[in-house]
Amino acid sequence: MKINESAENYLETILILSKGHPVVRAVDIATELGFKKSSVSVAMKNLRESGHITVTREGYIYLTESGKAIADMIYERHELLSSWLESLGVDKQVAAKDACRIEHVISKDSFEALKKHLNR
């Protein structure tokens, strides 16, 4: 199932936050991304309805199997692309921003070829 770039970013953010927080809430996502909580709430509703997250009564957000698969894919792309660009001499912040854009549009075939080329 193809989801949009915004949804991919939210899923990746939930994954990253869950690595450092015992629970993830909409306010944590809003803070991390610099978005209004109301915007995040709408996005969480859409992700919940599409089956990519679950939300407890307490407001704790968890990735479902499908949400985690997407988040893992985007995160892997981001990490590899960022480090590759940095190894080419690109400033760390610029590399991270560029990787964030590229990670959503690069095809699976091209990413796998790049990964193979870089022996990762």
Side-chain angles (χ1 to χ4, degrees), residues 72-97:
D72 284 340
M73 175 195 67
I74 295 299
Y75 185 69
E76 177 189 24
R77 289 177 176 195
H78 183 86
E79 290 295 297
L80 184 131
L81 292 165
S82 292
S83 66
W84 175 58
L85 291 169
E86 285 180 53
S87 75
L88 296 174
V90 177
D91 174 77
K92 186 175 184 156
Q93 289 181 328
V94 173
K97 284 182 184 179

Side-chain angles (χ1 to χ4, degrees), residues 10-11 13-30 32 40 44 54-56 58-63:
Y10 279 112
L11 294 171
T13 301
I14 294 166
L15 176 70
I16 291 166
L17 288 172
S18 70
K19 292 174 185 273
H21 294 75
V23 294
V24 177
R25 300 165 300 147
V27 68
D28 302 319
I29 298 166
E32 180 70 19
V40 173
M44 294 306 103
T54 59
V55 182
T56 67
E58 297 82 10
Y60 303 154
I61 299 166
Y62 298 96
L63 295 169

Side-chain angles (χ1 to χ4, degrees), residues 39 41 47 57 64 75 80-81 118:
S39 299
S41 294
L47 288 172
R57 286 185 188 169
T64 63
Y75 185 69
L80 184 131
L81 292 165
L118 297 173

